Amino acid sequence: MSAANVLKLGIPAGSLQEATVELFRRSGFNITIEKRSYFPTIDDEEIECMLIRAQEMARYVENGVLDAGLTGHDWIQETNADVQEVAELMFSKVSRKPVRWVLCVPENSPVQTVKDLQGKRIATEAVGLTRRYLEKNGVEAKVEFSWGATEVKPPKLADAIVEVTETGSSLRANNLRIVDEILQSTTRFIVNKQSYEDSWKRKKIEDIVLLLQATMAAEGRVVLMMNVPKERLSDVLGILPALKKPTIANLSDENWLDVTTIVDEKLVRSLIPRLKDAGACGIIEYSISKIID
């Protein structure tokens, strides 16, 4: 294997690290991170991994230190990095929902809209995002970079903050009220534009993304297989939701059919009794690891 046939891949350190490693594991790539090491090992000799803070990922991908990496859309916007976004991956630290950058003030603050922050002080880690937001709204305020614990800074150290939230629990715990939402962000698979022009790297990236997306598509879904009398097929099909159309196959007994479909796992407990009542039997449920359209 030539030195050129190695993909330099950035794994986001910090809040996304564990979720990213787990997603790769379920997609077929085992990543091992040793303590105090920034160079994880992966069971693919064509990939070299490096741990990089999500906040810095886009910059290192843009300048070619990395061929590709995973980071939030928010940090791409914050750094104005010129990178290729190949895929949106709907996962974060806690849930499969976007995170939100929000403008917050103390519960008892007189501030009701962003306009009320004219001449005030705002603390945030996303200085660029905040300044562009204020400019868009015609507001001049002092934006200060926050090194952490941003939620505790109002009211003594700042009049307001711009902070990322996934569940809102930390904001509520610190008696903060959301004034406005600035940005919703999801995880993106980003690529250096020059690297993406390399045919080998492009194919390697596309293969990785295919597996990641297939794994995410399978989350929370299961396969149901069952035997159905031909005369009861319409009754069963009327009950079944389907990713697409169920697969129907003949059995050795010409009066019976095999029906296979993919359904949301949370629906199974209510579906199975109804399917049984509709005439289905030999019902089997099994998990799936990937769905590829």
Side-chain angles (χ1 to χ4, degrees):
M1 182 177 62
S2 69
N5 288 351
V6 172
L7 186 76
K8 295 175 291 183
L9 178 66
I11 303 297
S15 62
L16 280 178
Q17 180 177 312
E18 186 175 337
T20 300
V21 171
E22 175 61 15
L23 175 60
F24 270 80
R25 184 194 65 77
R26 291 188 290 109
S27 301
F29 301 94
N30 291 307
I31 298 173
T32 303
I33 302 175
E34 301 291 341
K35 289 183 178 180
R36 298 176 184 169
S37 173
Y38 290 93
F39 297 94
T41 59
I42 185 170
D43 60 348
D44 186 327
E45 63 179 9
E46 295 177 338
I47 302 175
E48 289 182 357
C49 293
M50 185 174 182
L51 274 180
I52 298 288
R53 282 170 54 86
Q55 294 91 327
E56 301 176 288
M57 186 73 72
R59 179 162 54 89
Y60 285 117
V61 171
E62 178 184 28
N63 64 28
V65 172
L66 298 168
D67 295 307
L70 288 85
T71 190
H73 175 65
D74 45 1
W75 298 116
I76 301 170
Q77 294 296 307
E78 171 68 11
T79 58
N80 275 324
D82 184 20
V83 294
Q84 182 80 34
E85 291 191 28
V86 177
E88 179 180 28
L89 302 171
M90 291 290 291
F91 77 95
S92 53
K93 179 181 179 181
V94 176
S95 68
R96 291 294 183 260
K97 297 179 181 180
V99 297
R100 305 161 60 215
W101 282 92
V102 290
L103 175 66
C104 300
V105 296
E107 283 284 3
N108 59 0
S109 170
V111 172
Q112 296 300 319
T113 74
V114 64
K115 301 289 187 183
D116 298 327
L117 288 170
Q118 178 71 30
K120 303 295 186 180
R121 181 172 308 200
I122 303 172
T124 183
E125 189 178 358
V127 172
L129 280 176
T130 302
R131 284 176 175 163
R132 287 192 292 273
Y133 166 75
L134 293 173
E135 183 178 352
K136 178 182 175 182
N137 285 277
V139 174
E140 292 185 6
K142 185 174 183 180
V143 181
E144 297 180 338
F145 180 77
S146 174
W147 292 95
T150 307
E151 299 98 326
V152 303
K153 294 188 174 177
K156 292 185 177 180
L157 300 178
D159 299 291
I161 64 169
V162 171
E163 180 66 325
V164 66
T165 184
E166 194 166 344
T167 65
S169 58
S170 181
L171 300 178
R172 291 190 294 271
N174 286 280
N175 297 312
L176 294 174
R177 168 170 52 86
I178 296 175
V179 174
D180 196 9
E181 179 179 284
I182 294 176
L183 179 75
Q184 288 194 5
S185 176
T186 55
T187 304
R188 308 295 169 93
F189 194 107
I190 60 172
V191 182
N192 174 272
K193 289 188 172 180
Q194 186 174 350
S195 297
Y196 209 46
E197 293 175 0
D198 180 284
S199 59
W200 182 89
K201 290 181 179 180
R202 188 184 188 109
K203 182 63 169 65
K204 186 69 175 178
I205 289 163
E206 289 173 347
D207 289 349
I208 295 170
V209 169
L210 173 68
L211 293 170
L212 295 177
Q213 291 180 321
T215 298
M216 296 192 70
E219 286 185 352
R221 288 175 170 156
V222 297
V223 173
L224 284 182
M225 296 179 63
M226 67 205 76
N227 295 331
V228 180
K230 280 188 176 179
E231 70 269 14
R232 302 297 301 274
L233 180 62
S234 60
D235 296 332
V236 168
L237 293 183
I239 294 170
L240 284 176
L243 181 62
K244 291 187 177 176
K245 292 183 179 179
T247 299
I248 302 172
N250 292 314
L251 296 176
S252 56
D253 185 334
E254 63 181 14
N255 296 313
W256 287 81
L257 298 167
D258 173 75
V259 177
T260 304
T261 190
I262 297 173
V263 300
D264 289 339
E265 186 176 17
K266 63 185 179 182
L267 300 177
V268 170
R269 69 182 185 185
S270 62
L271 278 176
I272 288 180
R274 294 171 61 202
L275 291 169
K276 186 75 167 58
D277 291 342
C281 63
I283 303 170
I284 299 173
E285 173 193 349
Y286 60 90
S287 60
I288 49 177
S289 58
K290 295 177 182 65
I291 297 176
I292 301 173
D293 292 328

